[in-house]
């Protein structure tokens, strides 16, 4: 299958809740999350170019890591912005214009796979925008500032949404420009597309696609990666 996707790999976060820079800290297998994400994304024949967005402080370190992983594919490194959406926008500006579809992925999710990219891409081709996620299994409560429960939400309509998220480029560009002009802040790119009236399809993914936010997440990911044969 020919390459069809330009990818933005977001790695510009400050890891405040983790307590250390999780993106560049090596796991027991010797590879850091950035390296693992790149290795897995590069294995997909759908991906033709990757733009890695990092903080100013990590530009040189990212270049050192990426220099050994190119495998003949085009990888660029750019400096991110203040908010996550600013980093995605900088990544979008750096992507070559030839890519009709753009995938955005958080480097804090090191278990991305070729299969996951493929199913989300197929849904994006149908709808113009697609994300992966799972139906929520927890009971959800709306709570006020004092910790008092206001109401119970209907979880049958609630999904937890993850990355990768894949969009038709023209749609993502329009959504990013709207955020830049309005000064609004969103927590994912699907939200930006929704705000301009775009329809986003959610693809159920039953595999492990955990996000590392807290130190215990790091430990779990580390244990899971030790069980994998990683080439």
């Amino acid at each position: 299958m020919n390459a069809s996707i330009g990818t933005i790999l977001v790695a510009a976060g400050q890891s405040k809740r983790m307590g250390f820079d999780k993106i560049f800290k090596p796991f027991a297998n010797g590879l850091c999350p950035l390296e693992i994400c790149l290795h897995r994304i590069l294995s997909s024949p759908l991906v033709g170019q990757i733009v890695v967005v990092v903080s100013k402080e990590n530009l040189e370190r990212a270049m050192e890591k990426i220099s050994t992983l190119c495998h003949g594919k085009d990888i660029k490194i750019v400096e991110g912005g203040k908010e996550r959406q600013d980093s995605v926008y900088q990544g979008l500006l750096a992507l070559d214009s030839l890519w009709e579809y753009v995938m955005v992925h958080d480097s804090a999710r090191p278990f991305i796979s070729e299969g996951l990219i493929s199913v989300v891409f197929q849904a994006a081709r149908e709808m113009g925008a697609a994300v992966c996620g799972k139906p929520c299994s927890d009971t959800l409560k709306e709570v006020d500032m004092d910790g008092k429960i206001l109401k119970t939400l209907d979880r049958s309509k609630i999904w937890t949404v993850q990355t990768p998220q894949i969009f038709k480029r023209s749609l993502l560009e329009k959504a990013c420009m709207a955020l830049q002009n309005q000064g609004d802040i969103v927590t994912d790119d699907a939200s930006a597309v929704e705000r301009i009236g775009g329809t986003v399809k959610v693809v159920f993914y039953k595999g492990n696609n955990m996000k590392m936010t807290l130190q215990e997440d790091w430990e779990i990911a580390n244990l899971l990666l030790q069980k994998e044969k990683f080439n």
Side-chain angles (χ1 to χ4, degrees):
M1 187 177 295
N2 294 331
S4 306
I5 305 171
T7 295
I8 301 169
L9 182 58
V10 185
Q14 298 180 359
S15 303
K16 289 182 178 178
R17 285 174 289 182
M18 185 69 73
F20 55 84
D21 194 339
K22 62 190 175 189
I23 303 306
F24 290 92
K25 181 179 173 64
F27 288 109
N29 63 10
L31 299 174
C32 69
L34 179 64
E35 291 172 299
I36 292 173
C37 282
L38 280 170
H39 185 100
R40 292 172 181 265
I41 293 171
L42 286 166
S43 71
S44 171
L46 293 169
V47 175
Q49 182 187 32
I50 302 174
V51 174
V52 182
V53 189
V54 299
S55 64
K56 182 178 181 179
E57 296 76 17
N58 283 328
L59 282 170
E60 185 174 342
R61 184 156 44 160
M63 290 177 184
E64 292 175 357
K65 295 289 186 184
I66 290 169
S67 63
T68 62
L69 291 169
C70 289
H71 300 298
K73 290 193 177 182
D74 182 8
I75 303 178
K76 294 182 180 179
I77 304 170
V78 298
E79 182 181 335
K82 180 181 179 182
E83 303 290 343
R84 182 189 181 279
Q85 65 199 48
D86 300 321
S87 295
V88 171
Y89 183 61
Q90 291 304 314
L92 189 57
L93 292 176
L95 269 179
D96 292 347
S97 59
L98 61 92
W99 305 112
E100 184 180 3
Y101 289 89
V102 176
M103 178 174 77
V104 182
H105 184 64
D106 293 328
S107 56
R109 294 187 185 273
F111 294 95
I112 186 172
S113 68
E114 180 182 338
L116 176 55
I117 293 171
S118 180
V119 296
V120 178
F121 177 58
Q122 292 305 317
R125 291 181 66 185
E126 297 171 10
M127 196 72 67
V131 303
C132 61
K134 294 181 178 181
C136 185
S137 59
D138 293 326
T139 298
L140 299 172
K141 307 285 187 179
E142 182 179 337
V143 180
D144 67 14
M145 296 297 292
D146 296 321
K148 298 176 182 176
I149 294 174
L150 300 177
K151 63 179 179 180
T152 300
L153 305 180
D154 180 4
R155 73 179 182 186
S156 68
K157 299 179 180 179
I158 304 297
W159 284 55
T160 59
V161 172
Q162 308 163 355
T163 66
Q165 302 188 355
I166 302 179
F167 310 91
K168 200 159 188 178
R169 185 187 185 124
S170 57
L171 183 61
L172 183 59
E173 286 179 335
K174 183 178 179 182
C176 286
M177 286 301 300
L179 286 181
Q180 293 292 316
N181 294 333
Q182 297 164 7
D184 295 334
I185 296 177
V186 295
T187 56
D188 77 337
D189 307 287
S191 300
V193 170
E194 293 163 36
R195 284 180 175 229
I196 62 169
T199 301
V200 183
K201 184 173 182 177
V202 181
V203 178
F204 174 64
Y205 182 64
K206 64 180 180 180
N208 175 31
N209 190 32
M210 66 175 291
K211 182 179 181 181
M212 300 181 303
T213 302
L214 305 174
Q215 288 192 27
E216 50 262 42
D217 301 327
W218 173 273
E219 297 300 332
I220 292 171
N222 195 28
L223 289 172
L224 291 172
L225 285 165
Q226 287 182 61
K227 295 180 180 180
E228 292 188 2
K229 182 179 179 182
F230 196 88
N231 298 315

